[in-house]
Amino acid sequence: MAFFRPRVSREAEVRYHADLEISKSFPELLEKARQAERVLRDLRAADADEIELLAAGTAFDQALTEALRAAEAGQRATFGVRAYDDRIARRKAKATPAGRQWTDEVNRLRTLREENRLWGIPRIPRPVPAVR
């Protein structure tokens, strides 16, 4: 008696290999986000004006978003090819040590990005047009 084990879809294999490639750039993107955070903290310590803080906060947000995308790709790639099609395989993979490590990293980066969006980027009022 042979057991039927369904193969993964071609789309899942393609997405898996794409995520492997994206996740390779994670360390560089994380370092880029750290440098952007360092610049933002230095500007805050130097009591820079709001325009400079806005630019630094926006650059930090973009760097965090890129690092988060790479971390999510690494997480999906760590879960394996079957996890793209099967939610049970995804849950099982999330319970492994490597899956837990990537999940914690993704959650940490999401929290940093949301905190930066709430408190790190100053709100500058729009100029009011003069009425004639």
Side-chain angles (χ1 to χ4, degrees), residues 71-95:
E72 288 172 340
Q75 180 186 34
R76 288 188 302 267
T78 301
F79 290 171
V81 181
R82 289 187 59 217
Y84 287 89
D85 292 335
D86 186 8
R87 69 179 180 85
I88 295 172
R90 191 168 35 253
R91 287 188 61 193
K92 284 183 178 181
K94 198 178 266 194

Tab-separated table of all heavy atoms in Angstrom, residues 71-95:
chain	number	residue	atom	x	y	z
A	71	ALA	N	13.278	40.010	6.906
A	71	ALA	CA	13.079	39.096	8.037
A	71	ALA	C	11.848	38.227	7.819
A	71	ALA	O	11.868	37.024	8.125
A	71	ALA	CB	12.940	39.887	9.342
A	72	GLU	N	10.782	38.799	7.278
A	72	GLU	CA	9.593	38.003	6.987
A	72	GLU	C	9.885	36.954	5.917
A	72	GLU	O	9.389	35.825	5.991
A	72	GLU	CB	8.446	38.911	6.550
A	72	GLU	CG	7.869	39.727	7.683
A	72	GLU	CD	6.868	40.767	7.212
A	72	GLU	OE1	6.886	41.123	6.009
A	72	GLU	OE2	6.088	41.236	8.051
A	73	ALA	N	10.694	37.329	4.927
A	73	ALA	CA	11.080	36.358	3.896
A	73	ALA	C	11.929	35.246	4.511
A	73	ALA	O	11.752	34.068	4.178
A	73	ALA	CB	11.843	37.055	2.780
A	74	GLY	N	12.831	35.598	5.405
A	74	GLY	CA	13.638	34.591	6.086
A	74	GLY	C	12.792	33.673	6.941
A	74	GLY	O	13.044	32.463	7.019
A	75	GLN	N	11.791	34.244	7.574
A	75	GLN	CA	10.880	33.444	8.388
A	75	GLN	C	10.131	32.432	7.521
A	75	GLN	O	10.076	31.244	7.841
A	75	GLN	CB	9.889	34.361	9.100
A	75	GLN	CG	8.889	33.647	9.973
A	75	GLN	CD	7.838	34.582	10.528
A	75	GLN	OE1	7.430	35.535	9.875
A	75	GLN	NE2	7.400	34.323	11.734
A	76	ARG	N	9.576	32.900	6.408
A	76	ARG	CA	8.840	31.994	5.527
A	76	ARG	C	9.756	30.917	4.955
A	76	ARG	O	9.372	29.750	4.848
A	76	ARG	CB	8.175	32.777	4.396
A	76	ARG	CG	7.006	33.615	4.837
A	76	ARG	CD	6.272	34.204	3.652
A	76	ARG	NE	7.113	35.030	2.806
A	76	ARG	CZ	7.247	36.344	2.913
A	76	ARG	NH1	6.587	36.999	3.846
A	76	ARG	NH2	8.028	37.020	2.088
A	77	ALA	N	10.986	31.295	4.581
A	77	ALA	CA	11.926	30.324	4.026
A	77	ALA	C	12.330	29.295	5.078
A	77	ALA	O	12.508	28.112	4.764
A	77	ALA	CB	13.155	31.035	3.480
A	78	THR	N	12.467	29.725	6.331
A	78	THR	CA	12.811	28.802	7.409
A	78	THR	C	11.685	27.807	7.647
A	78	THR	O	11.940	26.651	7.976
A	78	THR	CB	13.108	29.575	8.707
A	78	THR	OG1	14.180	30.474	8.459
A	78	THR	CG2	13.469	28.659	9.840
A	79	PHE	N	10.459	28.233	7.484
A	79	PHE	CA	9.319	27.343	7.680
A	79	PHE	C	9.296	26.220	6.651
A	79	PHE	O	8.747	25.161	6.905
A	79	PHE	CB	8.007	28.116	7.613
A	79	PHE	CG	7.768	29.030	8.776
A	79	PHE	CD1	6.725	29.926	8.749
A	79	PHE	CD2	8.571	29.014	9.900
A	79	PHE	CE1	6.477	30.769	9.816
A	79	PHE	CE2	8.344	29.849	10.972
A	79	PHE	CZ	7.286	30.734	10.926
A	80	GLY	N	9.859	26.436	5.472
A	80	GLY	CA	9.933	25.392	4.460
A	80	GLY	C	8.915	25.565	3.354
A	80	GLY	O	8.008	26.394	3.431
A	81	VAL	N	9.079	24.764	2.321
A	81	VAL	CA	8.238	24.881	1.121
A	81	VAL	C	6.787	24.500	1.423
A	81	VAL	O	5.860	25.151	0.943
A	81	VAL	CB	8.791	23.983	-0.010
A	81	VAL	CG1	7.941	24.110	-1.259
A	81	VAL	CG2	10.215	24.337	-0.323
A	82	ARG	N	6.592	23.483	2.225
A	82	ARG	CA	5.222	23.021	2.502
A	82	ARG	C	4.409	24.059	3.250
A	82	ARG	O	3.186	24.084	3.161
A	82	ARG	CB	5.263	21.730	3.303
A	82	ARG	CG	5.748	20.555	2.478
A	82	ARG	CD	5.627	19.246	3.192
A	82	ARG	NE	4.245	18.987	3.550
A	82	ARG	CZ	3.881	18.392	4.686
A	82	ARG	NH1	4.785	18.002	5.557
A	82	ARG	NH2	2.615	18.179	4.948
A	83	ALA	N	5.072	24.933	4.002
A	83	ALA	CA	4.359	25.920	4.810
A	83	ALA	C	3.662	26.982	3.962
A	83	ALA	O	2.766	27.667	4.454
A	83	ALA	CB	5.320	26.588	5.789
A	84	TYR	N	4.043	27.118	2.709
A	84	TYR	CA	3.379	28.098	1.851
A	84	TYR	C	1.953	27.673	1.519
A	84	TYR	O	1.080	28.519	1.327
A	84	TYR	CB	4.172	28.291	0.557
A	84	TYR	CG	5.442	29.065	0.757
A	84	TYR	CD1	6.623	28.424	1.075
A	84	TYR	CD2	5.458	30.452	0.650
A	84	TYR	CE1	7.795	29.130	1.262
A	84	TYR	CE2	6.619	31.163	0.836
A	84	TYR	CZ	7.784	30.496	1.143
A	84	TYR	OH	8.937	31.201	1.341
A	85	ASP	N	1.724	26.376	1.436
A	85	ASP	CA	0.413	25.866	1.060
A	85	ASP	C	-0.383	25.309	2.236
A	85	ASP	O	-1.601	25.194	2.154
A	85	ASP	CB	0.556	24.755	0.013
A	85	ASP	CG	1.068	25.270	-1.311
A	85	ASP	OD1	0.869	26.468	-1.599
A	85	ASP	OD2	1.668	24.475	-2.055
A	86	ASP	N	0.300	24.944	3.310
A	86	ASP	CA	-0.339	24.204	4.395
A	86	ASP	C	-0.207	24.976	5.704
A	86	ASP	O	0.894	25.166	6.218
A	86	ASP	CB	0.328	22.826	4.511
A	86	ASP	CG	-0.361	21.922	5.507
A	86	ASP	OD1	-1.446	22.286	5.998
A	86	ASP	OD2	0.202	20.857	5.803
A	87	ARG	N	-1.320	25.415	6.271
A	87	ARG	CA	-1.268	26.201	7.499
A	87	ARG	C	-0.815	25.374	8.697
A	87	ARG	O	-0.197	25.888	9.615
A	87	ARG	CB	-2.611	26.864	7.789
A	87	ARG	CG	-3.717	25.940	8.170
A	87	ARG	CD	-5.009	26.685	8.473
A	87	ARG	NE	-6.049	25.760	8.831
A	87	ARG	CZ	-6.236	25.286	10.054
A	87	ARG	NH1	-5.468	25.681	11.021
A	87	ARG	NH2	-7.203	24.431	10.296
A	88	ILE	N	-1.085	24.076	8.670
A	88	ILE	CA	-0.649	23.212	9.768
A	88	ILE	C	0.877	23.069	9.742
A	88	ILE	O	1.529	23.129	10.780
A	88	ILE	CB	-1.355	21.851	9.709
A	88	ILE	CG1	-2.855	22.061	9.940
A	88	ILE	CG2	-0.770	20.886	10.726
A	88	ILE	CD1	-3.695	20.842	9.734
A	89	ALA	N	1.440	22.918	8.554
A	89	ALA	CA	2.901	22.860	8.435
A	89	ALA	C	3.522	24.177	8.891
A	89	ALA	O	4.591	24.192	9.506
A	89	ALA	CB	3.298	22.555	6.998
A	90	ARG	N	2.844	25.281	8.611
A	90	ARG	CA	3.334	26.600	9.032
A	90	ARG	C	3.339	26.708	10.551
A	90	ARG	O	4.294	27.181	11.160
A	90	ARG	CB	2.475	27.691	8.392
A	90	ARG	CG	3.023	29.068	8.530
A	90	ARG	CD	2.316	30.107	7.658
A	90	ARG	NE	0.896	29.929	7.466
A	90	ARG	CZ	0.335	29.522	6.326
A	90	ARG	NH1	1.070	29.225	5.281
A	90	ARG	NH2	-0.970	29.391	6.228
A	91	ARG	N	2.272	26.237	11.183
A	91	ARG	CA	2.204	26.282	12.651
A	91	ARG	C	3.236	25.368	13.286
A	91	ARG	O	3.848	25.713	14.300
A	91	ARG	CB	0.810	25.891	13.129
A	91	ARG	CG	-0.223	26.990	12.862
A	91	ARG	CD	-1.533	26.681	13.486
A	91	ARG	NE	-1.371	26.583	14.942
A	91	ARG	CZ	-2.290	26.074	15.742
A	91	ARG	NH1	-3.415	25.617	15.244
A	91	ARG	NH2	-2.101	26.025	17.032
A	92	LYS	N	3.453	24.207	12.711
A	92	LYS	CA	4.465	23.288	13.240
A	92	LYS	C	5.867	23.882	13.095
A	92	LYS	O	6.694	23.765	13.988
A	92	LYS	CB	4.404	21.943	12.525
A	92	LYS	CG	3.248	21.084	12.956
A	92	LYS	CD	3.308	19.745	12.238
A	92	LYS	CE	2.191	18.840	12.679
A	92	LYS	NZ	2.254	17.526	12.004
A	93	ALA	N	6.118	24.508	11.960
A	93	ALA	CA	7.435	25.097	11.730
A	93	ALA	C	7.678	26.286	12.653
A	93	ALA	O	8.810	26.547	13.057
A	93	ALA	CB	7.561	25.534	10.276
A	94	LYS	N	6.621	26.994	12.997
A	94	LYS	CA	6.757	28.137	13.893
A	94	LYS	C	7.172	27.699	15.295
A	94	LYS	O	7.778	28.459	16.040
A	94	LYS	CB	5.434	28.901	13.959
A	94	LYS	CG	5.544	30.303	14.498
A	94	LYS	CD	4.211	30.996	14.486
A	94	LYS	CE	4.073	31.776	13.212
A	94	LYS	NZ	2.957	32.736	13.251
A	95	ALA	N	6.890	26.456	15.648
A	95	ALA	CA	7.211	25.935	16.981
A	95	ALA	C	8.645	25.425	17.087
A	95	ALA	O	9.089	25.097	18.180
A	95	ALA	CB	6.237	24.825	17.351
